[in-house]
Amino acid sequence: MRKREMVIKEMSSAMQYTFEITMAGCGTNCMHCSVDGGPSRNMSFSDYIKCLKKLKPILDPLEGDISVTPGNEPLNHPEARKILSYTHEMMPKYYPDQPFDTPTTGVVFMRRKDKEEIIDVLPKIGANEVMLTLHGNEKHHNEIVRNPLGYQSIVDTAQYFHSQGFKIVYNLMVSKYLIEDWDTVVSFLKEHHSSKVHFTIPSYLPIERLNIYQKIRAEYDDCMKLKGRLCEMGIDEEKFFEKVESNCEKTIAQRFKDGIDYKRAEKEYPNWVFFNISQDLDIYYGNAGARTKLLGNLLKESEEELYQRIIAQKANYSYSAYYDVDKLPAIQSILEKVQPLQTNYVYSRESDCLYWWFNQCNIPDILLK
């Protein structure tokens, strides 16, 4: 193992590794989802255990911040209780062992007969909060999650977990709809046990569902309607509007009028690499929904082979995660095609804005289809 340790120190010092294991589908099929969430088949429990047993010795020699995330929606799996417990027992270094929130849509969970058993195990693995995502009023929420049960499931799930002593955390996804429905949203949060609120600007990646979502992405003028209205919900208003000013299309276009070095810009983002493990135990380079390379299969390749392939990968947090950076055109040619801007969309990161412009200019991505 000494040779491994020497290699990893040279290649991935301070690297962050995230391994998402797609072991259950999601109860909704959200328009804004960047990790390909939606109803899908489950990974068998026996395969999940095989996955953890094969993965752990591969991860142990890695240096850096390493995390293993069951996805898409773990509480939907028929063996959810066992999966939560076994993951915590088998991989305590890589799975949360401190207070964290449990995301769920509630659509499947609230129809389970073993809710009480799952509720019993969650505090034992450090989960004392549940996180629910809200998009606006009932009509708008259900349109975005593409499930007519979506909104009512949020109501029922909040009430159920609150009655069991859990804190309820809401993730508000900023869109034209959410802003239009703001008074209704505030009333909802007050009525349905909100203990904390996250205020999230959705990502943009070059995938079809996010192209559809663009029609309701919040623009600069939409966001300005919330001035003076966020603090009452515990949202850091100053921080949010700094992001709005910095990451709206018109500001970004002005910032890059003299050019951008994509490789240098990438270095400003976290040194973070994402992997996805499918229901068939194939391991991919890239997030679920944004895979760019098949590295192998956990059952067919040896630990050493997979380890070597993992440490050979570079961070895939920004441009090179989705594009061949060497083939990206100069930003000036992109701006010539997209200007004058017909929109002033707001993004969580400036790179997301450029991905949208690349898409408009038909710049090919490197995502597996």
Side-chain angles (χ1 to χ4, degrees), residues 100-162:
F100 68 100
D101 54 52
T102 303
T104 182
T105 64
V107 174
V108 174
F109 177 80
M110 288 305 296
R111 288 155 184 78
R112 295 186 69 118
K113 295 181 179 180
D114 62 346
K115 291 194 296 293
E116 289 76 14
E117 294 178 28
I118 295 175
I119 286 290
D120 181 63
V121 78
L122 286 173
K124 297 175 183 177
I125 63 170
N128 57 10
E129 301 177 346
V130 62
M131 185 168 68
L132 306 172
T133 296
L134 185 65
H135 296 278
N137 65 24
E138 183 168 8
K139 176 179 180 295
H140 288 151
H141 181 90
N142 289 347
E143 177 184 336
I144 290 175
V145 304
R146 297 192 281 203
N147 188 318
L149 302 176
Y151 185 89
Q152 188 58 48
S153 295
I154 294 294
V155 173
D156 296 341
T157 304
Q159 179 58 40
Y160 178 75
F161 274 91
H162 176 73

Side-chain angles (χ1 to χ4, degrees), residues 228-271:
R229 308 191 68 191
L230 302 181
C231 292
E232 66 171 317
M233 302 314 302
I235 298 167
D236 189 333
E237 185 162 312
E238 181 178 356
K239 184 177 180 180
F240 172 71
F241 283 105
E242 283 178 1
K243 182 170 285 191
V244 170
E245 295 287 351
S246 176
N247 289 348
C248 65
E249 283 187 283
K250 291 182 179 179
T251 298
I252 293 171
Q254 181 67 22
R255 185 183 306 147
F256 292 141
K257 65 179 181 178
D258 295 324
I260 177 177
D261 182 328
Y262 298 112
K263 291 183 178 180
R264 181 175 295 179
E266 260 200 314
K267 294 179 180 179
E268 298 177 5
Y269 288 98
N271 195 28

Side-chain angles (χ1 to χ4, degrees), residues 84-96:
L84 293 170
S85 296
Y86 273 88
T87 309
H88 191 262
E89 290 174 14
M90 295 176 67
M91 308 191 86
K93 287 172 58 179
Y94 312 125
Y95 190 62

Side-chain angles (χ1 to χ4, degrees), residues 143-182:
E143 177 184 336
I144 290 175
V145 304
R146 297 192 281 203
N147 188 318
L149 302 176
Y151 185 89
Q152 188 58 48
S153 295
I154 294 294
V155 173
D156 296 341
T157 304
Q159 179 58 40
Y160 178 75
F161 274 91
H162 176 73
S163 71
Q164 299 296 317
F166 285 71
K167 294 181 179 179
I168 311 300
V169 178
Y170 285 97
N171 184 23
L172 304 183
M173 301 299 290
V174 181
S175 69
K176 290 181 181 293
Y177 285 170
L178 186 90
I179 294 169
E180 177 185 331
D181 300 339
W182 187 248

